[in-house]
Amino acid sequence: MLASWGRWVYRFRWWVVIISVLSLVPAAWLASEGGHLVSVISPVNSESERALDLIKKELPPAFPSFGLIFRSPNLAATEPAFKAEVERAVAALRADPRVEAVRTAYHGGVVKPGDISLDGHSTIVKVEIRDHSASETTLAMKIYPALRAEVHSNRLEVAAFGDLPSSFDLTVLAEKGARQAEMRVLPLIGLLLLLVFGSVPGAVLPLAAGLLAVTSGLAAMFLLARVTPVLAFAKNVLMMVGLGVAIDYSLFILSRFRRQVRSGSVQEALASTMATTGRAVLFSGTAVAVGMLGMLFLGLSHVGSMGLAGAFVVMLSVVYAMTLTAGLLAVLGPRVDSLRLPFLNGGETGRHSRFWRRLAILVMAHPWKVLLSATLCLILLGAPLRHIQLGSEAASGLPKTAESRRGMELVSSQFRKVDTNPFLVVIAYPKSYSPLSVDHIERIYTVSRWLAKLPGVNEVKSIVDLDPSISRKLYVQMYAPPTPPLPAGVQRIIKEMVGRNIVMLVAQTSLSEAGPRALSLVRTIRESHPPVGGELLVTGASAFHLDFIEAVKKNSPRVVGFIVLATYFMLLVLLRSVVLPLKAVLMNILSLSASYGALVWIFQDGHLASLLGFTPGPIGAMTPIIMFCVLFGLSMDYEMLLLSRVREEYLCVRDNTRAVALGLEHTGRTITGAAAIMAVVLFAFGFADLTAVKEMGVGMGIAVVVDATIVRCLLVPAAMRLLGAWNWWAPAFLTRREKRRCRRGIGEGADSRVAGLNPPQRRGDAESAEEKFG
C-alpha cells in the first residue's frame, strides 16, 4: 500500500508540494495569534481540589492578590521619606478601578511590625484585585502585568511575589525559552545536515519539513488551548519533540531514497522508499504519539492536553515526511545530490561505510563481550537513580533573575513571620447537619487549638479564634441555636468562613510552599487531626504540591503499562516477531534508567549547576514521567529503523547474523546523524531559564545519545546475534503472510535489490556478508 502511495506522490508531485507549502499560511497565522497557556497543574479529583470546590461553592469569593516588597539599602522602612515614597509608588494602584484595596504597613497611622523586614529596610504591600471572577490566565497574564506596570520608584527597589507573579514569570520564560532554543538550534541543525548529506538540497529538505511540522503543531496547540487549558511548558515540549522527529523522519526517507535512486527510476525509488523506510516512519511516529497520549492517564489537569498537543505535532511530522519530503524528492530525483560541497562526503561509501562495517564485524565476532560491557556501562550511568528525590518546583524553579523568585526569597529571609503560605482546612458535614451545632462547635474549637500547636503554624483564623480570652463554653453560647444578635464584625467572619455544610479554618504559615516541612504539615493535618464529626480536607498551595506528587506516583504505573503494551503491539505488527518487541522494551527501560541516573547526578546532586545556571534540588515530580512518555516512543525511532532494515535483510538471506550485521552497517550512519540532530535540539533547552525545561532538555538529550550509541549500535546487535533464530519466532498466522510476500519477490521492507530487480547486486551483498562472517 505504501509503495502505491509513493507512486501516487510521484504522479502528483507538484500538487503535493504546493498543497503542503500552502498549508503553512493558515498554520503560521494561527501560531502567530498565540493562545492562553496556563502554568498551574491541578491533580484531578484530589483532596485539595475537592476542598477548593467546596469553598468556591459555599463561601463568598476571596479577592485575588499579590504582594510587593519595597526595599532601600540606606533608608529605614519607618522613616518618613521611605513611607512617602511607598505611598507615591502605589498611588496609581489606589486610583485603579480594578484594585479593591492596597494594604500597607502604614495603614491607620500605626506601623505594623510584622510588615517590616528583620533588617528594617523593607516593607510589604498587599494588592487585592476586584475582579474575583476572572480566570487564572486572565489574572496572571493580563490584569497582574498591567497593575505591576503602574508601580515604579526611583528611590526604592520593588519586587513582586505571590502566585500571580510566579505564574506570569513561568509563562513568559517558557515562551522565551522556546524562542531562544529555536534561534540556537536552527543554524546547528543546518550544519549537521550538511555534514550528514554533503549537499545543499539534502540539508534543506529535512529542515523545511521540520519547520513546517513545528509551525503546524503550534497552530494545533493554540487551537486546542481555545477548547481546554494547555500547560505553558507544552510549547517547549512541542519544540523539543516536533522539530527533532520531523527532521529525523525526513532524514530517514531522504537517506533511503538516495540509495534507491542510484539503481532505478525515480518513481520506483520513491515507491520502494515508502514501502520500507516510510513504513518504519509511520510505525515510529505512531509509537511516539502513543507515548505522548500516555499523559492523558496521569490524572493531572492540563498535562493531558499537553500530551494531546504533542501527539498532534508528531503525527504532523509523519504527514509532512510522507508528503512534502516525498514530493520534493519526486521533483528533484537524482538532483537531490546536486550542489555538493567538495570537502564533505555525505555518501554511503568511504571511511564512514568502512567504520560501520568494521563495527558490525566486531559486534558479531564478540557478542558476549559487547553485551556485558554495554550493559555494565548503562547500569553505572543509572546508579544515581537509587537516591532520587521527587519534589514540586516552586519559586526555586525560576531563574534567580526572575522578579517573583527574588520577591519570595526576600520574604523567606526577611519576613519570617509573614503569612505567605496559608493552609485552608475545610470541615465538611452531611447535608442534614448544621455546621454550628453544639457538638460541631466544640470539635472545631479542639481542632483549632490543635492546629495552633503544630510546628510551623504561626496563627489560626476561624470562627473560634476571635479573641484569646473567649472560652470554648462562650463560643458555644455565641453560635449554637438560637443564635443571639452578634456584632457586625463577627457576622462578617461567619459569612466568610461558614457555609451551608462546611466550616473553614485558616492555618497561617510562612513555610516554603513545596518545602519538606510544609508537605509534612499537610500530611500531619490530614492523617492525625482530632475527630471532627465530618470530613476534614486540606487545600492551599502546599496541599496542591503534595497531591500533585502523590498523583504522579499513583498514576505512573498505569501510564507506563499503557505505553509499554501499545508499543509492544506495534512492534509485533511491524516486525512479525514475538521476541524482538520484548527485547526492545527491556532495552528501552535500561536506556531510560541510565538517563534518569544522569539527570539525578546533574540536577539533584548539583553537578554542572554553574554551567547550566540552576539551583540544585529534588527532581521535579513531573519530569521523569513526561520524559518516559516522550522518550519511550522516541527511542523507537532508531529501534524501528534498525530492526526493520535487519528484518528486510533477513527476509532475503534467511541468516540472522548476516541480517543483523548488514542492518547495522546500512543504518548506523543514518541513526548517528539523526541522533546528533535530535540531541542538539534537546540540549539547546538545557540553557533555558526554567529548571523544569532544563531537566527535560538535558535528560532527554542524554537519553537520545545513549540510545543511539550504546544501545542501538552495540547492545541491540549483540543481543540479536546471541538470540539467533529466536529473534524471528512468531505464531504461524503472523509469519505465513510474510513468507508469501517474500516468495512473490515484493517483500515488506524490501528495496529494489531485495525484490529481485537487480539480482547480481543482491548476490554480491550476500557473498560479502558470507566472507565477513563465515
Side-chain angles (χ1 to χ4, degrees):
M1 185 175 70
L2 287 176
S4 300
W5 170 254
R7 295 186 183 95
W8 187 90
V9 169
Y10 176 81
R11 182 181 177 187
F12 299 100
R13 53 192 177 277
W14 282 110
W15 281 109
V16 171
V17 172
I18 291 171
I19 293 173
S20 298
V21 173
L22 287 179
S23 69
L24 180 64
V25 177
W29 177 77
L30 286 170
S32 64
E33 286 291 298
H36 297 306
L37 305 180
V38 299
S39 59
V40 180
I41 305 174
S42 301
V44 178
N45 297 324
S46 64
E47 178 176 325
S48 52
E49 187 176 50
R50 289 191 293 121
L52 191 60
D53 288 342
L54 285 172
I55 292 172
K56 290 179 179 179
K57 181 181 178 181
E58 298 204 14
L59 299 180
F63 294 110
S65 65
F66 63 92
L68 296 169
I69 296 179
F70 290 85
R71 181 171 179 81
S72 170
N74 303 317
L75 294 174
T78 54
E79 292 184 31
F82 191 106
K83 175 184 175 182
E85 182 62 17
V86 170
E87 293 296 342
R88 189 203 63 76
V90 301
L93 290 178
R94 294 189 188 278
D96 195 308
R98 293 170 293 186
V99 175
E100 174 66 21
V102 178
R103 306 186 188 280
T104 70
Y106 316 107
H107 182 70
V110 179
V111 177
K112 300 176 183 177
D115 290 342
I116 304 298
S117 63
L118 296 177
D119 64 4
H121 288 275
S122 305
T123 186
I124 282 181
V125 173
K126 183 180 180 181
V127 182
E128 295 181 352
I129 299 173
R130 180 165 294 164
D131 189 1
H132 49 69
S133 62
S135 67
E136 294 176 358
T137 302
T138 301
L139 287 168
M141 301 309 299
K142 291 185 177 181
I143 298 177
Y144 161 72
L147 296 179
R148 176 63 185 87
E150 295 178 359
V151 182
H152 50 83
S153 172
N154 296 326
R155 302 185 64 186
L156 303 178
E157 300 172 10
V158 185
F161 68 92
D163 291 340
L164 295 182
S166 294
S167 296
F168 174 78
D169 285 344
L170 281 168
T171 303
V172 169
L173 290 174
E175 294 181 357
K176 176 186 173 185
R179 290 194 303 269
Q180 289 179 339
E182 185 178 8
M183 297 304 295
R184 292 189 192 107
V185 301
L186 290 180
L188 290 174
I189 289 174
L191 179 60
L192 284 172
L193 286 169
L194 277 175
L195 291 173
V196 171
F197 290 111
S199 68
V200 174
V204 171
L205 259 63
L207 194 57
L211 291 175
L212 194 57
V214 168
T215 304
S216 301
L218 291 175
M221 180 192 72
F222 288 127
L223 278 176
L224 185 64
R226 298 182 183 184
V227 179
T228 181
V230 177
L231 197 62
F233 296 127
K235 191 171 184 179
N236 299 86
V237 174
L238 261 62
M239 287 289 297
M240 289 183 204
V241 178
L243 189 59
V245 299
I247 291 175
D248 277 5
Y249 295 158
S250 294
L251 185 151
F252 295 159
I253 289 174
L254 176 56
S255 297
R256 186 59 181 263
F257 176 81
R258 292 172 72 210
R259 291 195 297 269
Q260 298 294 97
V261 80
R262 293 170 190 158
S263 57
S265 67
V266 174
Q267 182 177 5
E268 288 308 308
L270 189 60
S272 178
T273 298
M274 290 293 103
T276 54
T277 305
R279 184 170 184 264
V281 165
L282 182 61
F283 274 85
S284 177
T286 305
V288 179
V290 166
M292 301 294 287
L293 290 175
M295 296 183 198
L296 292 170
F297 298 94
L298 269 176
L300 300 172
S301 63
H302 318 334
V303 175
S305 56
M306 180 175 71
L308 193 59
F312 282 155
V313 75
V314 171
M315 294 316 297
L316 284 169
S317 300
V318 174
V319 168
Y320 284 119
M322 305 288 278
T323 55
L324 177 64
T325 301
L328 288 173
L329 290 176
V331 171
L332 291 172
R335 295 192 302 274
V336 73
D337 278 329
S338 61
L339 298 177
R340 298 192 61 79
L341 301 182
F343 53 89
L344 292 176
N345 177 19
E348 296 296 322
T349 60
R351 67 180 186 277
H352 301 295
S353 180
R354 287 195 298 272
F355 169 79
W356 293 110
R357 187 177 299 118
R358 289 168 181 166
L359 180 62
I361 293 172
L362 175 66
V363 174
M364 295 300 102
H366 306 284
W368 275 113
K369 292 180 180 179
V370 173
L371 180 72
L372 294 176
S373 300
T375 303
L376 180 62
C377 182
L378 292 178
I379 292 173
L380 290 176
L381 284 173
L385 181 61
R386 293 176 301 173
H387 62 270
I388 187 173
Q389 297 176 7
L390 297 180
S392 182
E393 292 181 351
S396 61
L398 293 166
K400 293 181 179 180
T401 54
E403 183 180 77
S404 58
R405 174 169 177 172
R406 288 188 286 110
M408 285 305 301
E409 288 178 346
L410 278 172
V411 170
S412 300
S413 62
Q414 293 294 327
F415 298 88
R416 295 177 183 173
K417 290 298 182 182
V418 171
D419 302 322
T420 56
N421 182 20
F423 287 39
L424 308 183
V425 180
V426 176
I427 303 176
Y429 302 102
K431 292 184 179 181
S432 58
Y433 291 85
S434 169
L436 296 181
S437 67
V438 173
D439 181 57
H440 289 165
I441 294 170
E442 290 185 345
R443 292 176 185 268
I444 293 169
Y445 184 93
T446 301
V447 170
S448 171
R449 299 310 180 266
W450 175 77
L451 287 172
K453 294 177 182 178
L454 293 177
V457 176
N458 299 333
E459 180 187 9
V460 177
K461 294 183 178 180
S462 73
I463 60 171
V464 294
D465 288 280
L466 305 179
D467 191 290
S469 63
I470 302 178
S471 66
R472 179 198 303 257
K473 184 177 180 180
L474 187 53
Y475 277 121
V476 171
Q477 293 175 357
M478 287 172 57
Y479 296 132
T483 306
L486 298 173
V490 177
Q491 292 182 19
R492 178 179 57 81
I493 292 174
I494 293 176
K495 182 179 179 181
E496 292 175 353
M497 293 193 163
V498 181
R500 292 189 305 274
N501 301 107
I502 69 169
V503 171
M504 182 176 71
L505 300 88
V506 181
Q508 299 284 12
T509 79
S510 52
L511 301 174
S512 173
E513 292 178 359
R517 290 183 62 199
L519 301 184
S520 176
L521 182 59
V522 175
R523 292 191 185 96
T524 299
I525 297 174
R526 287 176 172 175
E527 298 170 4
S528 305
H529 62 81
V532 295
E535 183 182 15
L536 186 144
L537 307 170
V538 182
T539 188
S542 295
F544 271 105
H545 283 300
L546 179 62
D547 288 343
F548 168 73
I549 294 171
E550 295 300 324
V552 171
K553 291 179 179 178
K554 176 184 176 182
N555 296 323
S556 290
R558 182 170 54 179
V559 174
V560 171
F562 166 75
I563 294 174
V564 168
L565 289 175
T567 303
Y568 179 89
F569 176 76
M570 282 185 287
L571 284 171
L572 181 69
V573 174
L574 174 68
L575 302 173
R576 307 295 170 85
S577 165
V578 172
V579 177
L580 284 180
L582 181 61
K583 175 202 65 64
V585 166
L586 294 176
M587 291 190 176
N588 257 18
I589 293 173
L590 189 61
S591 173
L592 280 171
S593 66
S595 65
Y596 286 155
L599 187 73
V600 172
W601 186 80
I602 294 172
F603 289 96
Q604 182 177 302
D605 297 344
H607 300 93
L608 307 183
S610 57
L611 175 64
L612 298 177
F614 64 90
T615 302
I619 303 298
M622 191 172 63
T623 301
I625 191 62
I626 287 185
M627 282 179 57
F628 183 90
C629 292
V630 175
L631 285 173
F632 202 87
L634 204 59
S635 298
M636 289 299 170
D637 275 357
Y638 313 126
E639 182 83 22
M640 290 184 178
L641 182 68
L642 172 61
L643 294 185
S644 62
R645 186 56 191 257
V646 171
R647 174 177 170 273
E648 179 184 337
E649 300 291 343
Y650 182 78
L651 286 177
C652 294
V653 301
R654 291 294 171 180
D655 184 296
N656 179 73
T657 302
R658 296 178 191 174
V660 173
L662 290 171
L664 176 60
E665 179 181 334
H666 290 155
T667 62
R669 177 176 168 80
T670 302
I671 288 177
T672 303
I677 291 169
M678 179 69 77
V680 165
V681 173
L682 294 171
F683 282 135
F685 285 88
F687 296 93
D689 293 313
L690 300 178
T691 302
V693 177
K694 291 178 189 286
E695 289 178 350
M696 285 189 280
V698 173
M700 291 195 289
I702 292 172
V704 167
V705 171
V706 169
D707 190 78
T709 53
I710 299 175
V711 176
R712 304 303 161 210
C713 295
L714 298 175
L715 194 59
V716 170
M720 292 186 69
R721 168 72 172 86
L722 292 171
L723 285 170
W726 282 104
N727 285 307
W728 312 106
W729 182 86
F733 72 90
L734 281 176
T735 58
R736 188 181 304 117
R737 185 183 178 191
E738 174 185 81
K739 292 176 181 177
R740 185 169 66 249
R741 286 190 174 188
C742 190
R743 285 197 301 270
R744 284 203 306 264
I746 297 174
E748 291 184 31
D751 59 17
S752 59
R753 295 178 298 168
V754 176
L757 298 179
N758 197 346
Q761 191 167 353
R762 168 51 56 192
R763 286 196 296 271
D765 286 347
E767 291 165 4
S768 174
E770 188 171 0
E771 289 175 4
K772 295 173 193 173
F773 311 114

